[in-house]
Amino acid sequence: MKKRKWLSLLLAVMMLVSAVPFFPVTADAADGTVEVSTWEELKRALEYTTNCSVVKVVKDIETKALNGHTGLHQDNIIFMSMAMDKVLDLNGHTVNAYAKYYSEVAQGYLINICDKDARLTIRDSVGGGALIGEFNQEFYYEFINVSKGTLVMESGTVKMLCPSKDDQYLKCAIGVSGTAVFNGGEVLTQVTSPGGEKEERYLSRRLQAIRGEAGGSVTINGGTFDRVVLHSAPTPENRGKYELVVNGGFFRQSIALILVGDVYASNFDHLPMQINDAYFMR
């Protein structure tokens, strides 16, 4: 009799528990946001040691005074070298990444996405925000290098500033060997004259806003861009695969394919780039 009573009580408790709705525990959105106001804070927030989903810039960041007024050095470079998915919200502010000497940033880049499962999204939730890479010396530079992983740009501005004598070294604001998707924003290149004044544009083919590499994937759906270049060639391996696809956007300069490697006429039944829609502003 007691056994039946206990079974009846247990059944009643189970029915009561099943009738109560289950609400999963969710973290507050603020728990996934880290606010930064210096380059060092930005570097830490974008690396794998900081667990966050959004990195929000809350103050203009200037780096010229770092390291004895020589700007960023090797140990200041941002590496996204582990699996992560983060959003950089410029929040209406300017981040100026300055390098005075090439020898101090020998890789030639200041931000490197270098893990296949690393993903960075750049956006500007307020408007007027910019991520600027400023280089003082003549040499080969890529401000943001997507060697692996994925870069997504939704809004804001990425700009590269460099000296005007660029007749020897290639320079680009964003270099892509991995994957990059541009849905909005601006990617621009700008030069400084010998006197230091900023000039609006420079038409040299060695100064590139986006540089796509063979084997990578660049998709442009919208935004405003200076010169966009794909360094590749038609091969049997990339037949049916597009390494640069343009579905829209405004272009202040050209979209070009620069042939590299062994090029055979028999492979020219296809190209590794496709332009579906583009508006040229010149």
Side-chain angles (χ1 to χ4, degrees):
M1 188 70 179
K2 286 185 178 181
K3 187 175 181 180
R4 289 183 180 178
K5 186 176 181 180
W6 278 109
L7 287 173
S8 299
L9 181 60
L10 180 60
L11 180 60
V13 171
M14 291 177 63
M15 292 176 64
L16 179 62
V17 170
S18 63
V20 176
F22 175 74
F23 297 98
V25 178
T26 58
D28 186 80
D31 294 339
T33 300
V34 172
E35 296 183 345
V36 299
S37 58
T38 67
W39 181 266
E40 184 58 33
E41 291 175 351
L42 177 63
K43 172 180 167 63
R44 285 200 306 267
L46 287 178
E47 293 180 343
Y48 71 93
T49 52
T50 300
N51 185 19
C52 67
S53 57
V54 177
V55 179
K56 186 176 183 180
V57 181
V58 295
K59 180 182 177 182
D60 289 352
I61 296 175
E62 180 57 69
T63 58
K64 286 187 176 181
L66 296 179
N67 299 306
H69 295 275
T70 61
L72 300 176
H73 285 191
Q74 175 73 29
D75 57 357
N76 302 125
I77 297 174
I78 295 173
F79 290 95
M80 299 183 71
S81 57
M82 298 285 283
M84 64 185 82
D85 187 353
K86 298 190 177 186
V87 174
L88 173 59
D89 183 2
L90 296 172
N91 190 36
H93 294 286
T94 297
V95 178
N96 188 43
Y98 174 77
K100 185 173 183 178
Y101 299 119
Y102 177 83
S103 59
E104 298 293 354
V105 286
Q107 282 88 353
Y109 49 72
L110 300 180
I111 300 174
N112 186 19
I113 304 173
C114 51
D115 185 272
K116 65 181 181 63
D117 295 317
R119 178 185 176 98
L120 175 64
T121 300
I122 298 175
R123 74 181 184 206
D124 181 17
S125 59
V126 174
L131 185 59
I132 300 174
E134 184 175 357
F135 299 90
N136 183 67
Q137 280 187 320
E138 282 298 320
F139 223 88
Y140 174 80
Y141 293 110
E142 288 182 344
F143 176 27
I144 301 176
N145 179 36
V146 189
S147 58
K148 298 178 182 178
T150 302
L151 172 69
V152 178
M153 187 161 179
E154 301 289 350
S155 55
T157 297
V158 172
K159 182 187 292 186
M160 184 174 188
L161 286 175
C162 55
S164 58
K165 295 180 180 179
D166 70 336
D167 56 349
Q168 185 174 0
Y169 299 106
L170 289 169
K171 304 175 184 66
C172 65
I174 301 176
V176 183
S177 299
T179 300
V181 179
F182 298 89
N183 297 320
E186 297 179 311
V187 183
L188 309 175
T189 54
Q190 196 174 62
V191 301
T192 54
S193 69
E197 300 85 5
K198 295 177 182 178
E199 300 177 3
E200 180 61 23
R201 284 190 291 170
Y202 197 73
L203 303 181
S204 170
R205 67 181 180 85
R206 295 186 179 275
L207 193 58
Q208 302 165 6
I210 300 173
R211 174 190 172 100
E213 300 287 357
S217 174
V218 177
T219 303
I220 300 176
N221 298 315
T224 302
F225 307 89
D226 281 336
R227 185 174 173 83
V228 175
V229 178
L230 173 63
H231 292 252
S232 185
T235 64
E237 289 74 24
N238 64 23
R239 186 185 305 276
K241 301 177 183 177
Y242 295 110
E243 295 164 342
L244 171 62
V245 177
V246 180
N247 296 317
F250 296 88
F251 298 85
R252 306 202 308 171
Q253 297 177 31
S254 61
I255 302 172
L257 169 64
I258 295 181
L259 299 175
V260 296
D262 296 328
V263 180
Y264 300 97
S266 59
N267 292 330
F268 272 87
D269 57 346
H270 73 285
L271 290 176
M273 63 183 288
Q274 183 179 56
I275 301 176
N276 297 317
D277 190 18
Y279 180 80
F280 291 91
M281 301 170 66
R282 292 178 59 196

